[in-house]
Amino acid sequence: MTSQPLGPADYSKTPRYAGPPTFGLLPRIDEVEAERPGEKIDVKVIGIPFDAGVSYRPGARFGPAHIRQSSKLLRPYNQATNVHPFTWQQVADCGDLGVNPFNIEEAIATVEANADAMRADGAKLLTLGGDHTLALPNLRSLHKTHGKIAVLHFDAHLDTWDTYFGAPYTHGTPFRRASEEGLIDMTASMHIGIRGPLYGQKDLEDDEVLGFQIIRSDDYQFTSVADVVARMRKRLGDAPVYLSVDIDVLDPAAAPGTGTPEAGGMTSRELLNSIRGLQGLNVVGAEIVEVAPAYDHAEVTGLAAAHVGYEVLSLWAAENNGVTAPSGPAGDALGA
């Protein structure tokens, strides 16, 4: 008989600020395996403290710990979507993966092998970065299971540049490499929140050839969140989706703690409601990257990232509970 999922620490017995240093005060994987031997872990949260691929301000290697610290106030009921992300599925925090900080190619290989091993039992992965280089090994791993992946990429930047100082693997190149390797579904992939200066028009031309459509940050102002969600859902269809959230998709007012900030970004409300609008789609993996706590204050960026993770877990909990369409305000706006 399947036992009840092991959830967060008991808030009535342990103050949140004194709770375990895990995402949302959730149990560690060894605690789950000891208490629920042989039973499935639906979602594994893994931190990858790696930032050797950054091109401007470093510090995202400290992102996983900062996101976890900022997640302690998360509660077990998502009122926006009527979902219980911690009790409708078993979630476990797997700690951090140590990778070589001096050899990017070795680090990429380590992340891919680890993702393969962690997903072997059917679990979904929520990756806490770390810089955006991590998207490439995660996509390589998912491609082995799902084939071509629809990348839904929230970011201020395209991340489809070719090289930087001749280096093919940086946080600005993962989606070009992924497209070149045939990992992504070129009919279903999108960038959301793009803004800021580019090197030239060719950046956009190359990006289109690589298989991406673009919804700019300004589109949220000139249309609506509901319109953006409808466009995302139409493009993604029933494809397996990898949700990649670079926290710099948010305006620096909402996420100052990141390495390459750009003015004119989304609000956290727009981002969270965009993710809620994915409910019912086939999201097979997710990552939150580029949180650099040295530039944060009052946990502003960490809180935003923690809530993004919470909404991702809510998507998967809804799927686990048979919910096939958006619910709450997002569902109402879409007529679901």
Side-chain angles (χ1 to χ4, degrees), residues 6 20 22 26-36:
L6 187 63
T22 59
L26 286 160
R28 303 187 312 266
I29 189 169
D30 61 303
E31 294 173 320
V32 174
E33 291 173 342
E35 190 152 330
R36 305 181 76 228

Side-chain angles (χ1 to χ4, degrees), residues 23 67 126-130 134 242-247 286-291 304-310 312:
F23 185 84
I67 296 170
L126 172 59
T127 299
L128 309 178
L134 304 174
Y242 186 63
L243 176 59
S244 181
V245 180
D246 184 327
I247 206 65
E287 66 188 2
I288 307 162
V289 297
E290 301 288 352
V291 173
H307 281 267
V308 168
Y310 183 76
V312 172

Side-chain angles (χ1 to χ4, degrees), residues 1-331:
M1 181 177 178
T2 302
S3 62
Q4 179 72 14
L6 187 63
D10 187 341
Y11 309 134
S12 68
K13 297 179 180 179
T14 303
R16 288 180 177 85
Y17 52 82
T22 59
F23 185 84
L25 305 185
L26 286 160
R28 303 187 312 266
I29 189 169
D30 61 303
E31 294 173 320
V32 174
E33 291 173 342
E35 190 152 330
R36 305 181 76 228
E39 295 193 18
K40 182 183 178 184
I41 297 174
D42 299 293
V43 181
K44 297 175 181 176
V45 180
I46 178 71
I48 306 181
F50 172 86
D51 65 0
V54 301
S55 57
Y56 195 54
R57 302 191 307 198
R61 67 182 61 186
F62 301 109
H66 191 61
I67 296 170
R68 288 188 177 103
Q69 172 62 34
S70 303
S71 73
K72 290 189 172 186
L73 200 56
L74 296 175
R75 299 180 179 90
Y77 173 63
N78 187 334
Q79 63 170 320
T81 55
N82 192 28
V83 168
H84 298 263
F86 301 152
T87 56
W88 286 2
Q89 61 191 348
Q90 181 61 70
V91 186
D93 193 317
C94 301
D96 287 347
L97 174 66
V99 298
N100 190 332
F102 304 111
N103 187 316
I104 290 181
E105 293 191 33
E106 180 183 320
I108 288 172
T110 301
V111 172
E112 180 183 351
N114 181 75
D116 289 346
M118 293 185 70
R119 295 190 311 101
D121 59 1
K124 290 184 171 71
L125 292 189
L126 172 59
T127 299
L128 309 178
D131 75 47
H132 223 152
T133 310
L134 304 174
L136 179 59
N138 283 328
L139 285 168
R140 285 175 175 173
S141 177
L142 286 167
H143 182 265
K144 297 170 189 175
T145 304
H146 300 283
K148 291 184 182 294
I149 306 294
V151 174
L152 183 62
H153 173 217
F154 286 85
D155 201 325
H157 312 96
L158 300 170
D159 289 359
T160 51
W161 286 281
D162 190 7
T163 62
Y164 195 63
F165 284 85
Y169 301 109
T170 76
H171 73 161
T173 67
F175 299 116
R176 178 182 283 261
R177 301 286 91 84
S179 183
E180 292 170 344
E181 293 177 19
L183 306 180
I184 73 166
D185 185 341
M186 297 175 67
T187 70
S189 295
M190 302 184 80
H191 304 298
I192 313 294
I194 301 301
R195 64 188 189 277
L198 299 173
Y199 295 105
Q201 178 70 24
K202 191 174 185 299
D203 291 343
L204 298 172
E205 295 168 354
D206 288 352
D207 189 77
E208 185 176 4
V209 170
L210 293 167
F212 288 91
Q213 286 186 359
I214 294 174
I215 294 178
R216 292 176 170 79
S217 179
D218 287 343
D219 291 340
Y220 281 88
Q221 178 174 351
F222 298 126
T223 58
S224 67
V225 174
D227 177 72
V228 170
V229 169
R231 291 166 64 185
M232 289 193 307
R233 293 182 69 89
K234 181 178 179 180
R235 173 78 168 168
L236 297 169
D238 59 1
V241 177
Y242 186 63
L243 176 59
S244 181
V245 180
D246 184 327
I247 206 65
D248 73 24
V249 74
L250 296 176
D251 190 86
T258 192
T260 47
E262 302 280 357
M266 296 163 56
T267 67
S268 57
R269 182 170 58 230
E270 289 167 340
L271 176 57
L272 297 180
N273 276 297
S274 297
I275 295 171
R276 290 165 188 157
L278 301 176
Q279 193 166 287
L281 299 187
N282 184 23
V283 179
V284 297
E287 66 188 2
I288 307 162
V289 297
E290 301 288 352
V291 173
Y295 313 105
D296 204 10
H297 58 84
E299 293 186 352
V300 174
T301 312
L303 287 168
H307 281 267
V308 168
Y310 183 76
E311 295 301 334
V312 172
L313 293 181
S314 296
L315 290 178
W316 287 333
E319 177 186 348
N320 207 45
N321 208 46
V323 179
T324 59
S327 57

